[in-house]
Amino acid sequence: MFWLTALLCAILLAQSAQGTACGSQATNSGISDDDLTPVDPAHRACCGPQPYDNTTQFCCGGKVEAKGRKKGCCGDNIYNPKKHFCCGVTLKAAKGYEGCCGNQTYNPGSHICCEGQIKRGGTQYYGCCGVEVFDSFSHICCNGTVQPKGNNARCCGDEKYDSVTHTCCDGRVKPGGRYYSCCGTEVFHNWASVCCNGTLHERGTHNGCCGNKPYNYNTHACCGNKPYNSDTHVCCGGAIKSGVGSDTSCCGTESYNDLTHICCNGVLGKKASNNSVQQICCNGFLREAGIYDRCCGNDIYNQYTHTCCKGKVQPGGSNQACCGSRVYDHRTQQCCQNKVYNTATHTCCRGELHAKRASHKCCGTETYNDITHLCCYGVLRERGINDSCCGTQAYNKATQTCCRNNIQPRGAYLSCCGTQSYDRNTQLCCGGTVQRLSFYLGCCGGQTYPILTHTCCAGVIQKGASQHCCGTQAYLSYYAHQCCYDTLQARGTNSACCGLKPYNRQTHSCCNGQVMPGGPYPYHRCCGNTSYDYKTQLCCAGTPREKGTHGSCCGNQTYNSDTHTCCSGTIQPGGTFHSCCGTETYHEQTQSCCGYQVYNSTTHTCCKGKLQAGGTNHGCCGTEVYDSRSHLCCLDTLGERGPNTECCGTQAYNTTTHTCCGGQVMSGGRHHGCCGAAVYDIRTQLCCGGAPRDKGTHDDCCGIQTYNSTTHTCCYGQILPGGTYHRCCGIGTYNIATYICCYGNIVPGSPYHKCCGIKPYRPKSQICCQGTPHHKENRRTSCCGNQLSQGGCCFNQLYSSATHVCCGGKLTASEGDRSQRCCGMQIYNDTTHMCCRSETHERGTSNSCCGTTPYNTTTHLCCDYTPHEKGSNDSCCMNQPFTRQNHTCCGGKVYPGATAHTSCCAGKVQPGGTGHGCCGATAYSYETQTCCEGRVYPGGRYHRCCRNQVFNSTTHTCCWGSGQVIPGGTRRYCCGNQIYDRTVHTCCQDTPVPGGLYYYRCCGNSTYDYRTQFCCGGNQVFTRRYQGCCGSELYSPRTHTCCDGQLKPGGSYYRCCGSEVYHYHNYSCCQSVRRRGGRKNPDPQVYNWRTHSCCAGVEVRPGGTFHACCGNGTYNYKTHTCCDSGHTLPSPGGSSYNCCGNQTHYYYNSTCCQGNVLPGYSNNHRCCGTRTYDYKTQSCCGTQVYDPTTKSCCGDELYSRATHTCCQGAVQPGGTSHACCGSQAYDDLTSRCCNGQVLTGTGSCPA
């Protein structure tokens, strides 16, 4: 019967305007009027027989509960949504990343819910098609049927279609893709037509619909079904009303001036000028309130003393925020599921509070140690060697890769193709499937295609190679055609697109999709549906007007803003320093405006629209005028002004005897402050956690406790030993001068150290390899796992190529046999076998590879990775061998005619071979002809193209911006539509200006000699002598100083300290803070530069003259040297000596290698292991010093270039005249390298 009661309740609610009633049974079940409980009009619903207010309460299982962020209804049960999930009518414990599937929970990172069934496959990459799971990367679900996705795939009912070429209209696929839309069952191009309620209209200047009619939304607005001019009218509730200016608003169907009236819930009220309070709209009703008052439910409150939380007024204004119905200070606290907590001591994880701990983060509602674990979609995994997540699994990015939530091995050439990995060196991924790689194949919309004869355009394969695309169309010449919104058009001079039409930007303009006379761009602009010259005209309300002496618009008229002002659409006398007061003007320097009345501001004051006597030194307090010299206004309440009087809420108080806290005046003046709602003496007390505490010997707070910061440190709410220069690390403290904190561990170090795992290291002299620091030998030093590498590294293992071979991450001993090589994952003997794309074969008579097959280059040809008997053939045409002396390869086919006498253009054979090229589908001679925009023109050598013209580059110049050819060749350049000589002129804003290339620069539209002048503000040139530029302002360095772009008084003896200036004779700057005591007038009480130094911007340290900073301390630079670690060492030459381990050395006669001082001038010598060498005459290979004139280095192995060659880090037989083809060496006098394969002969590679 509960539903019947609810139905009855709804009927009664609808029928009663004054109130309603709730009953326990339906009327036709025998219930009388006496059985009904009256419902107040404020209540809006029934819960069984009980009425309730659904704005603050809710009904669950027939019971009324107060609303709150911690409450939800699951069946008949109340629950906390942050701690539980409601799946159907069943409650499940929340862990942070769950979803509901029927009555069960699941992890969206690894599973998906399909029609109430949990299936494997995370929601990030998979989708549901009915109860079936499909890969959303490679497939699409159309009306319950899974189909291969392809390129740009969409569904139209049960049918899949390409959205680039087709459109779905009313469940049917129609031709026309991008830029096309539906109008009923018809398709139209968005730039050709406009569809209004199922009817097509020619676009013209229209770009939108107003009811059944097209209109231009750039010039008009729509009100109901009628277009109107928004410059002169407003639309109020579907009715067009007159109204001009930003002060016009709507109240229901009426327009009004919001300076004089107020609208509240559709009711228009007048703002009375003599009212002492303002009117605000509160809960649908006009209420009187002060200027600082706001609305909270039905109550009025002062926003500076109180806060509104969930419709209730709470004490506390500025810096307060709401946490449920409570207020808190957002500077030190946060809200966690209606619980206020201290951000310094706790962390909030999805509504659950935890004590803050070092290196801990949130994973769902729990915290975890980020150093030892990973959080993968709410599932905790041990970190170990892993560093990333793949779905809910952890993996190591150095050795593995994640392919759509599937972990795959990582290799040098491995990539992802859907959920599997593939070798890019031998395979091709197309449409989510792995195929055999071919040099001649590409991928287009999930299909492979021959790239030598076809082009891929938006997923559609078109005939013709290397063409441009326009939507799905292919075209040959960019200079002959242009693409306008996927529609191919012929390209003209200075051509651009205007909708679907091309136009000349020099002579026309594009306005609202229509070509209009008037150019060139950018001097012509659009005004409504026409163009205008913005240099001589103005655009006023969509109509071009001649400027003349005028420079501004007022409605559709022009006026001179120096002599007149536009007020509410009318031109009034008074220009500069004039403003509007209604429809009149007034002079801002001597007059003001009150409502619509102009008055003298020196004799009168305007208070909330009411003009009163009293000008200078007078102000407003509500609607009354007061003398600010004798009184002060506190929130619209007048109080007498004293020598130390300020406001606290509505009261005036003496700051020497009292203090203002939270809008209340409390006893205790100077040296007192606010602590929560209490006052405390800042000399003897501290404010800790909102409560005053006695200082004693303490000077800081830790939570609600006090402590001495010179002897102790506050860490996560706990007071620990260690004060000045100490910081928190895990559960302890450390001295920053001698220790560092590495992932919660305190280890010895200095400010110059960083963390390498949990160990310290110095980046300048050490390198960090997987948590282990190592000494840097030289710049070649790198990491190999957790070890150093100067040569070979095999998947985090060091090795020497002289003794081992690395294959697939595994080391195999070669016992010094240089013939041992790696092929994929296998070891093979290079003298008896060959490696062809990761496959080994017996060498036999073969000397090269054709794909994965070995072959002999003297007897066979390799065509598209397939060997063919050579015979008389000498080249390949895709997979077919042919003889270039008698035949030509064109478009993958063999044609009669020697290659030297024919050309292949656009897949067709043309006469002309050597010395010829292709111009579209036509062959032309380089010597006598030129190709421009796909057409052949007379004129060969020294001739060039200028758009669709040919010119002689020795006598003329092309200005590409305009497409014009201008006389003047060598050493001439374009500037706008003119040419100029850069040695005597400079181009500034498209105009040549006197001043040549070497010493002149542009400053706006003029030039300046940067040796003697400077440019200020981008348009002003000044002489350098005794002048400078600060931002755009000129100043004299003798009287002013520029700090961060701002001009400060103080010249020659002043310096910047942050954004302030200081006189360096009397002051010093330490950490952007100005201190007393300068060069000539030191202050021993503050900072004497002769006896102390400012180090690291942290602290003033003892040691002045002849002292410098080292770390956080000072040292005498004449007797000591500062080392990178921040410690000092005695040295005979002071700071001219360098550190080397625990000793110093003079770099002019020695070098530091691995902490040892060795002979050799540092600038000429380098380290090679534990030896030095002169890099000008010697080199280092691994740890061996050698003469580069007789030897070379390959990896860490020495070899002679006369007998061997270095290919990919390995020494190969063959010296002079040999080159590398991949990892093989070949004789380039008898062979050639084509796509990683060695071919016999020295000609060009097969097409």
Side-chain angles (χ1 to χ4, degrees), residues 21 27 31-37:
T27 304
I31 192 169
S32 68
D33 291 342
D34 296 333
D35 297 321
L36 297 175
T37 303

Side-chain angles (χ1 to χ4, degrees), residues 385-388 395-402 408-412 770 785 794-796:
I385 61 171
N386 300 320
D387 54 9
S388 297
Y395 76 103
N396 188 331
K397 288 197 294 186
T399 58
Q400 297 170 309
T401 188
C402 181
Q408 301 285 331
R410 178 181 292 278
Q770 289 191 353
C794 182
F795 277 77
N796 297 338

Side-chain angles (χ1 to χ4, degrees), residues 10 71 94 99 201 290 357 455 467 525 701 748 878 1094 1098 1220:
K71 292 183 179 180
H201 302 269
R357 299 167 64 189
T455 299
Q467 301 190 80
R525 308 283 173 81
C701 291
M878 290 190 72
C1094 175
V1098 175
C1220 291

Side-chain angles (χ1 to χ4, degrees), residues 142 526 656 797 967:
C142 294
C526 290
T656 60
Q797 299 178 75

Side-chain angles (χ1 to χ4, degrees), residues 530-675:
T530 186
S531 67
Y532 75 104
D533 187 339
Y534 85 96
K535 293 184 295 183
T536 60
Q537 295 176 304
L538 292 170
C539 178
C540 299
T543 304
R545 302 289 186 188
E546 295 298 324
K547 272 187 180 179
T549 60
H550 297 170
S552 302
C553 288
C554 186
N556 58 3
Q557 305 176 66
T558 63
Y559 73 99
N560 188 334
S561 59
D562 292 333
T563 58
H564 290 74
T565 299
C566 178
C567 297
S568 300
T570 61
I571 301 172
Q572 301 292 338
T576 308
F577 302 121
H578 281 71
S579 294
C580 293
C581 185
T583 57
E584 300 180 50
T585 60
Y586 67 95
H587 199 288
E588 297 169 347
Q589 295 178 333
T590 58
Q591 297 173 307
S592 292
C593 179
C594 186
Y596 293 109
Q597 184 178 357
V598 177
Y599 70 95
N600 188 330
S601 57
T602 62
T603 59
H604 288 74
T605 299
C606 178
C607 296
K608 293 189 176 180
K610 182 181 178 181
L611 194 61
Q612 303 188 54
T616 307
N617 299 321
H618 284 70
C620 293
C621 193
T623 58
E624 301 302 319
V625 174
Y626 74 100
D627 190 331
S628 59
R629 295 168 295 184
S630 59
H631 289 76
L632 74 165
C633 181
C634 301
L635 297 180
D636 289 352
T637 303
L638 274 180
E640 291 187 4
R641 181 184 294 279
N644 300 294
T645 307
E646 292 184 5
C647 286
C648 182
T650 59
Q651 304 177 63
Y653 75 101
N654 190 324
T655 58
T656 60
T657 59
H658 290 76
T659 298
C660 178
C661 294
Q664 301 295 318
V665 178
M666 298 185 179
S667 58
R670 192 172 296 159
H671 307 304
H672 284 72
C674 296
C675 186

Side-chain angles (χ1 to χ4, degrees), residues 436 850-851 861-868 879:
R436 176 178 172 270
C850 184
L861 286 171
C862 179
C863 299
D864 196 17
Y865 304 118
T866 303
H868 295 268
N879 61 352

Side-chain angles (χ1 to χ4, degrees), residues 1199-1220:
Y1199 74 99
S1200 171
R1201 284 176 293 186
T1203 57
H1204 290 76
T1205 300
C1206 179
C1207 295
Q1208 295 184 352
V1211 179
Q1212 302 285 350
T1216 310
S1217 82
H1218 279 69
C1220 291

Side-chain angles (χ1 to χ4, degrees), residues 164-165 178-179 456-460 469-474 483 485-487:
V164 174
T165 59
R178 290 187 302 183
Y179 310 116
C456 177
C457 292
V460 178
C469 291
C470 183
T472 57
Q473 293 179 272
C483 183
Y485 295 97
D486 286 356
T487 302

